[in-house]
Amino acid sequence: MSSQLKLTDITKKFEANTVNEKVALDHLNLTVEPGQFVTVLGSNGSGKSTMFNVILGSLFPDEGKVYLGDKDITKLKDYKRALNIGCLYQNPLRGTAPNLTIEENLALAYTRKASPSFFALNKKDSAYFREVLSTLGMGLEDRMKTKIGLLSGGQRQRVAIGRAIVRNPAVFLMDEPLSNLDAKLRNQMRAEIIKLRQRINTTFVYVTHDQTEAMTLGDRIVIMRDGFIQQIGTPQEVFNHPANLFVAGFIGTPQMNFFDAKLDKDADGYYVELDGARVHLPEEKQQALRANNVEPQDITLGIRPEHIMLCSDDAAAHIS
Ligand code: ADP
Ligand code: MG
């Protein structure tokens, strides 16, 4: 099962103090198509978790609507939404029951019941859980009777992934699920999430401040800053065609270099002038500028470090 997720004109404010209010999300619009994997990338405080919680239903927006498929779920309580939404949180204990065993945790997700006393596990279910766990590594299938609270962070996140597999939700939300793990485990878990995606047909929203995660996992990346979406695009689009200076500087490590330059034209067409050196633009860019009849002007020229190379001509340059 996989559904479209749509946020329209979502605004969410918090009271920062009695006088000021903080706009955490500012008229945010986002459509995630069924089966798509969208990553939401932004630095601390950009509004990612607020957006996550608005989708989850643990926060209600001040304005705007949330749709799952063609259903308006804006006013639906979180525990009702949870039937169709799978979650992985930064803290692997959140959303799992530490005093219940691995098997019971999977059973809760599988049966969509609130308490293990409401279900009786049969052999077929147990065998299914074993099989799911065996694909997640770390020998969890042999520890079905172990309480979740006794597991390591990496093991718990795997159980949480197992819960999502058996639940088969319409949308799967993840809020920085790997940021509590060490670097090695993080890479392994990233691979697990890619496998999870191949395994369950669902719509993913993955929140992160880590651009490598965002670029490698996402079909599309939503770049956030101060509660605003700066750009939505494929990893290639946001890298090659940043919508603004913020995205240009934010995506790519090391960062893009910026220079004050001039855009002008002569008989051969548009060129960029930097420190007296003229570079005529490729035909594709010429056409776009001609079509919009762009006037000569001061511009910011962005050059990625990997596009700078040493050449044999005695061009003047210095490295600082
Ligand atoms: P992110 O997850 O991108 O780090 P958040 O969505 O948690 O960002 O926060 C966005 C902004 O909203 C921040 O400025 C944060 O301080 C503020 N904020 C978030 N939750 C609350 C809250 N419960 N009360 C007051 N301010 C909040
Ligand atoms: Mg957050």
Side-chain angles (χ1 to χ4, degrees):
M1 186 169 59
S2 99
S3 297
Q4 187 195 59
L5 174 73
K6 198 165 163 184
L7 304 178
T8 60
D9 242 3
I10 298 282
T11 295
K12 178 71 194 172
K13 297 173 185 158
F14 292 109
E15 251 175 50
N17 53 47
T18 45
V19 186
N20 294 314
E21 52 184 21
K22 164 86 200 169
V23 183
L25 296 176
D26 204 339
H27 296 282
L28 184 128
N29 286 286
L30 175 67
T31 303
V32 186
E33 296 302 341
Q36 208 169 48
F37 197 123
V38 160
T39 51
V40 179
L41 175 67
S43 34
N44 246 350
S46 56
K48 305 183 299 298
S49 292
T50 306
M51 177 172 159
F52 177 92
N53 287 319
V54 163
I55 300 172
L56 197 62
S58 48
L59 278 179
F60 286 139
D62 300 318
E63 290 169 43
K65 299 252 180 239
V66 183
Y67 297 92
L68 187 60
D70 47 17
K71 253 177 77 195
D72 180 348
I73 59 165
T74 317
K75 293 267 151 50
L76 197 66
K77 294 256 169 47
D78 54 353
Y79 66 90
K80 287 198 173 145
R81 281 187 213 191
L83 298 179
N84 290 315
I85 297 180
C87 267
L88 214 54
Y89 305 93
Q90 185 170 350
N91 177 353
L93 277 183
R94 190 174 159 199
T96 52
N99 290 324
L100 297 184
T101 65
I102 294 180
E103 186 175 51
E104 287 166 338
N105 268 280
L106 292 187
L108 284 181
Y110 183 62
T111 58
R112 296 164 196 250
K113 296 263 166 42
S115 150
S117 59
F118 296 145
F119 59 75
L121 271 184
N122 60 38
K123 279 212 174 93
K124 202 167 130 255
D125 296 338
S126 273
Y128 171 52
F129 297 162
R130 248 188 100 79
E131 186 245 308
V132 167
L133 289 167
S134 69
T135 64
L136 295 172
M138 290 184 140
L140 291 172
E141 68 277 17
D142 296 325
R143 304 184 62 187
M144 301 253 283
K145 305 284 183 211
T146 305
K147 289 188 175 168
I148 296 261
L150 300 174
L151 301 178
S152 71
Q155 289 169 330
R156 284 180 210 153
Q157 281 302 47
R158 281 179 163 78
V159 175
I161 290 182
R163 283 168 56 97
I165 294 173
V166 302
R167 164 73 59 91
N168 200 13
V171 175
F172 196 2
L173 301 178
M174 295 181 257
D175 190 357
E176 314 229 13
L178 310 187
S179 50
N180 274 1
L181 306 176
D182 64 48
K184 184 163 165 252
L185 208 48
R186 202 155 53 225
N187 285 337
Q188 287 174 1
M189 288 296 289
R190 187 147 36 114
E192 287 300 337
I193 286 169
I194 291 170
K195 282 205 297 200
L196 170 70
R197 197 246 167 116
Q198 290 156 354
R199 183 161 183 173
I200 61 172
N201 171 28
T202 191
T203 308
F204 286 89
V205 178
Y206 185 103
V207 167
T208 179
H209 67 271
D210 180 319
Q211 72 166 265
T212 312
E213 273 178 24
M215 297 288 266
T216 52
L217 291 172
D219 300 326
R220 289 198 307 156
I221 301 185
V222 176
I223 298 171
M224 304 265 304
R225 183 197 189 191
D226 289 344
F228 286 101
I229 292 179
Q230 300 287 309
Q231 186 170 5
I232 303 177
T234 63
Q236 290 74 25
E237 278 163 2
V238 297
F239 188 81
N240 292 326
H241 303 286
N244 54 36
L245 277 180
F246 173 78
V247 175
F250 190 60
I251 297 289
T253 35
Q255 237 196 335
M256 188 187 275
N257 301 280
F258 292 119
F259 302 94
D260 291 329
K262 264 197 166 57
L263 176 74
D264 209 338
K265 55 184 170 181
D266 60 15
D268 294 328
Y270 284 96
Y271 62 84
V272 169
E273 189 171 303
L274 175 66
D275 274 350
R278 283 184 184 191
V279 179
H280 279 87
L281 296 173
E283 185 50 33
E284 180 199 344
K285 290 256 173 359
Q286 297 275 357
Q287 272 178 16
L289 291 167
R290 264 201 310 271
N292 291 307
N293 208 9
V294 174
E295 294 291 323
Q297 56 188 280
D298 291 337
I299 57 162
T300 300
L301 175 67
I303 304 181
R304 293 205 183 274
E306 60 269 34
H307 295 150
I308 298 176
M309 58 194 131
L310 296 172
C311 57
S312 52
D313 288 346
D314 56 350
H318 68 270
I319 299 169
S320 55

